[in-house]
Amino acid sequence: MKPLIILTITGILTLYAGFFKNKKLLAPLAIIGLLVALVFTLLLWNHPASYYHDMMHNDNFSIAISVSLICTTILIFLFSNHYFAGVEKNLAEIYALMIFSLIGAIVMVGFSNVAVLFIGIETMSIPLYILAGSKRFSVRANEASFKYFILGSFSTAIFLLGIAFVYGASGTFNIHEIAEYIKTHNGTIPTMFYIGLLFIIVSFVFKVGAAPFHFWVPDVYEGSPTLTTAFMSTVVKIASIAAFYRFFSISFIELIPFWQHTIWIVIVCTLIIGNLGAINQQGFKRMMAYSGIAHTAFLLLPIITLNSLSAPSILYYSIAYSAATIAAFGVFMLVKNTVHGAGNIDELNGLSSSNPWLAFFMAVSMFSLAGIPIAAGFFAKLYVLSTAIQSGYLWLSIIAIIGAIIAVYYYLQIIIAMYFKKGIIQKVSFDLFYKTSLIISLIITIILGVFPALIMSLSL
């Protein structure tokens, strides 16, 4: 619980720091608080503990995911001084809201009670509704915020209805007691329980941005401020996947024959819509939105398989995907702010000529997201496909491989634009914090691509 307390204090202090009208103080204060929380989270490793009458539980999986979420947020905050260079108002609130959203994400990955999961989802989501529309005079930002809020509210209502049905049948919110109820009543479980389970699946599919409930993702990603988009596409997605896995691997593992076909269909639809939708996108953020949908399908593979490789492969994929995505958005933000463009892919034309290092960072990120060796994304996809094949999902794995091959096409478009097309972009300057974030993301991508056992050998 110490990391959550530290993050809460950090968020409150960041809010009060806004009164001093010194925006340069905000990012260091937030990052220091996150680093302290990171240290206390690492100290929990191999020390499982339960809190609040077993409503929350720390195990190695939740600790590892929490570490990745905190590190991802730190890397995003390292971009913030440069990103907010021309912004004078409401910066303290933006930092605080992102920290509070991170708190909700951490609560989501360590719950043992469905009520706590609901609190975590709402704590993570409500700040995002505000952050998506933080550019108050942008029509697209207002649209993104409104759409995310309305659809998120429907998702929350469906989730509450689902857990109400599950509670009505089992008489408990504890995920371990729900699993015990299924074991002892297998064959006599009422229809109400199964309906509740389907509602829960629908709400999770929405939260992770999988098809057929993906339609909010491109518009929200495009309309939100890019820093918020980077946060949503990494921290929010990974926390939702981890909560999805935790809930179903503990509570509903005995009912796999019932829900595996639903997730199977979701994965196939997500692969098709995500990859085909990304091909013809001209805007970088919309392309990343559709590619993120496709990556969600890969992250769902370990959930449908539920074997010994599921937890490590989710962690590995999460770290590889987050590192590459952060670097990609980092380079894109620099280019967009320099050319003052609309955020189209062709704004990256000729980047290698004027900014070879930025082009290199982006190229490595695209190679990793495409799953090309020796970047971390190659082994990330390899491991999740291995989990599926070991569990007998051969055809699903073949469809996923075809989807990965299609993805290479639109990721290579970025590289072709940077290295083989002429552009007008000049030399881009940025601060040390920004460089640090890009370099760390690059190092993570390459090291995990060379030494994947660093993650896969962890005891989760």
Side-chain angles (χ1 to χ4, degrees), residues 41-64:
T41 305
L42 289 170
L43 292 176
L44 297 173
W45 186 258
N46 283 333
H47 292 87
S50 296
Y51 307 97
Y52 302 124
H53 302 285
D54 199 31
M55 295 186 75
M56 288 193 66
H57 182 76
N58 279 334
D59 53 25
N60 281 356
F61 177 74
S62 64
I63 293 166

Side-chain angles (χ1 to χ4, degrees), residues 17-26:
F19 290 119
F20 295 100
K21 306 297 182 181
N22 185 359
K23 67 179 185 180
K24 292 184 178 180
L25 175 68
L26 297 174

Side-chain angles (χ1 to χ4, degrees), residues 107-108 111 113-122 159 204 243 247:
V107 170
M108 285 176 63
F111 73 98
N113 188 291
V114 183
V116 173
L117 172 60
F118 170 73
I119 292 171
I121 290 173
E122 292 307 293
F159 179 75
F204 269 119
F247 199 179

Side-chain angles (χ1 to χ4, degrees), residues 151-233:
L151 296 176
S153 299
F154 277 112
S155 171
T156 298
I158 292 170
F159 179 75
L160 284 175
L161 187 60
I163 62 175
F165 281 3
V166 169
Y167 176 80
S170 63
T172 180
F173 285 129
N174 186 284
I175 58 176
H176 298 281
E177 292 177 2
I178 292 172
E180 189 62 31
Y181 167 82
I182 293 172
K183 287 181 181 179
T184 56
H185 294 80
N186 205 352
T188 61
I189 298 174
T191 303
M192 176 173 64
F193 187 95
Y194 290 107
I195 295 174
L197 175 54
L198 287 175
F199 283 162
I200 291 170
I201 291 173
V202 168
S203 63
F204 269 119
V205 169
F206 173 89
K207 287 297 180 186
V208 300
F213 305 106
H214 65 286
F215 36 79
W216 62 274
V217 177
D219 292 337
V220 173
Y221 277 29
E222 183 182 34
S224 300
T226 307
L227 203 70
T228 301
T229 303
F231 185 84
M232 286 193 292
S233 62

Side-chain angles (χ1 to χ4, degrees), residues 59 87 96 177 214 325 362 374 417:
D59 53 25
V87 180
E177 292 177 2
H214 65 286
T325 301
M362 178 67 86
I374 58 173

Side-chain angles (χ1 to χ4, degrees), residues 374-425:
I374 58 173
F378 170 75
F379 284 104
K381 291 185 177 180
L382 178 64
Y383 285 128
V384 297
L385 289 171
S386 298
T387 64
I389 292 172
Q390 286 184 14
S391 298
Y393 294 98
L394 178 60
W395 281 106
L396 185 59
S397 300
I398 292 173
I399 296 171
I401 292 170
I402 294 171
I405 294 171
I406 295 172
V408 173
Y409 170 77
Y410 55 80
Y411 288 127
L412 285 180
Q413 283 186 319
I414 305 293
I415 297 172
I416 291 170
M418 294 188 300
Y419 285 92
F420 299 102
K421 293 184 179 181
K422 293 182 179 180
I424 59 173
I425 186 171

